[in-house]
């Protein structure tokens, strides 16, 4: 199972929006609704930000949103804030109890 | 407070073995499946293994199949990962995480080196 493809980096100024793509296949992202997004700050464990494509866990700000079209999922962070600077990973269920993670995207707040 | 805490990491020679543990608290451990995810230094997340709530279903990534064994003791609220035939490429921070990936431990570092 190959990793999902994400851009290595993305950036935006405070208050702007940034969108990160997560490209998979018809065997994972394209078939299942179990697409999640994680935020990871340096030296910290990942934190779930989006699950089931577009749902936000309690406590995650509303400026984080997720969507999916075909084999590609996307995470949008609106109204960028300094604390949003982190690495972001997507993941998808790939069938048969298997999950696959994305390659990761480093978001920089300019 | 719901919590997962890993332990058991350390330095091991290539070909050696190690057993990781993950102790859970603050939730009904026996109701949930659990996963192991690892992250090599400076690299991304890699899905390693999973086990169902009662332990009857397990999954292994191809990279660890035949060398790693996942298990759990619901009476002790503990998840395990027995690691054998360790290779340089197994060196990583190993996280245990809940079903749905909404809870993660801080991780335990496994270093494989002679």
């Amino acid at each position: 199972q190959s990793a999902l493809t994400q851009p290595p980096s993305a950036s935006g100024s405070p208050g702007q929006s940034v969108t990160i793509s997560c490209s998979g296949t018809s065997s994972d992202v394209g078939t299942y609704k179990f697409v999640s997004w994680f935020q990871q700050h340096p030296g910290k464990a990942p934190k779930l930000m989006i699950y089931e494509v577009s749902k936000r866990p309690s406590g995650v700000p509303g400026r984080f949103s997720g969507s999916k079209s075909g084999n590609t999922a996307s995470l949008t962070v609106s109204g960028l804030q300094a604390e949003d600077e982190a690495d972001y990973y997507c993941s998808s269920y790939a069938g048969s109890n298997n999950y696959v993670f994305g390659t990761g995207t480093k978001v920089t707040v300019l | 407070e719901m919590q997962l805490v890993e332990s058991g990491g350390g330095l091991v020679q290539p070909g050696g073995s190690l057993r990781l543990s993950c102790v859970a608290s603050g939730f009904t451990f026996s109701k949930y499946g659990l996963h192991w995810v690892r992250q090599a230094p400076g690299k991304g997340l890699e899905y390693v293994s999973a086990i169902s709530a009662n332990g009857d279903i397990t999954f292994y990534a191809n990279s660890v199949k035949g060398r790693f064994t996942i298990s759990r003791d619901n009476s002790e609220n503990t998840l395990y990962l027995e690691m054998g035939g360790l290779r340089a490429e197994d060196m990583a921070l190993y996280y245990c995480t809940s079903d749905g990936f909404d809870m993660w431990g801080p991780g335990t570092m496994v270093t494989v080196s002679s």
Side-chain angles (χ1 to χ4, degrees):
Chain A
Q1 189 77 39
S2 298
L4 306 175
T5 301
Q6 298 179 232
S9 62
S11 62
S13 299
Q16 289 186 330
S17 294
V18 65
T19 296
I20 304 166
S21 61
C22 170
S23 179
T25 70
S26 58
S27 297
D28 39 63
V29 175
T31 294
Y32 299 103
K33 69 175 184 177
F34 300 108
V35 175
S36 300
W37 288 91
F38 304 89
Q39 178 191 66
Q40 187 179 34
H41 287 110
K44 301 292 187 181
K47 176 186 176 183
L48 181 67
M49 305 301 284
I50 296 287
Y51 67 100
E52 291 182 15
V53 176
S54 59
K55 298 178 180 179
R56 276 180 290 107
S58 174
V60 172
R63 51 202 182 77
F64 289 87
S65 62
S67 63
K68 187 182 83 164
S69 178
N71 296 339
T72 300
S74 298
L75 172 73
T76 297
V77 186
S78 305
L80 265 176
Q81 298 185 7
E83 60 262 34
D84 299 333
E85 185 162 295
D87 293 328
Y88 290 83
Y89 295 92
C90 61
S91 79
S92 175
Y93 185 64
S96 301
N97 300 306
N98 186 26
Y99 288 82
V100 60
F101 283 92
T103 50
T105 298
K106 182 176 180 60
V107 169
T108 301
V109 181
L110 302 171
Chain B
E1 180 191 5
M2 296 186 294
Q3 198 173 15
L4 296 169
V5 179
E6 306 90 340
S7 63
L11 174 63
V12 61
Q13 292 187 340
S17 301
L18 213 53
R19 186 176 84 159
L20 306 184
S21 300
C22 172
V23 176
S25 59
F27 64 99
T28 308
F29 181 80
S30 59
K31 285 190 174 181
Y32 299 97
L34 294 160
H35 312 266
W36 288 100
V37 175
R38 69 185 180 184
Q39 187 170 34
K43 302 297 184 182
L45 302 172
E46 180 187 8
Y47 191 66
V48 174
S49 184
I51 189 167
S52 59
N54 64 7
D56 62 340
I57 299 172
T58 58
F59 171 84
Y60 301 94
N62 287 336
S63 57
V64 307
K65 197 174 296 182
R67 300 186 298 121
F68 290 11
T69 301
I70 191 172
S71 62
R72 62 190 296 163
D73 184 340
N74 285 347
S75 67
E76 296 289 335
N77 287 0
T78 304
L79 171 72
Y80 299 102
L81 187 67
E82 295 273 3
M83 310 165 68
L86 283 164
R87 306 166 180 168
E89 55 264 36
D90 295 318
M91 186 166 77
L93 186 61
Y94 283 74
Y95 295 103
C96 69
T97 176
S98 59
D99 232 9
F101 304 112
D102 57 346
M103 191 179 0
W104 295 66
T108 187
M109 185 67 199
V110 173
T111 301
V112 183
S113 175
S114 54

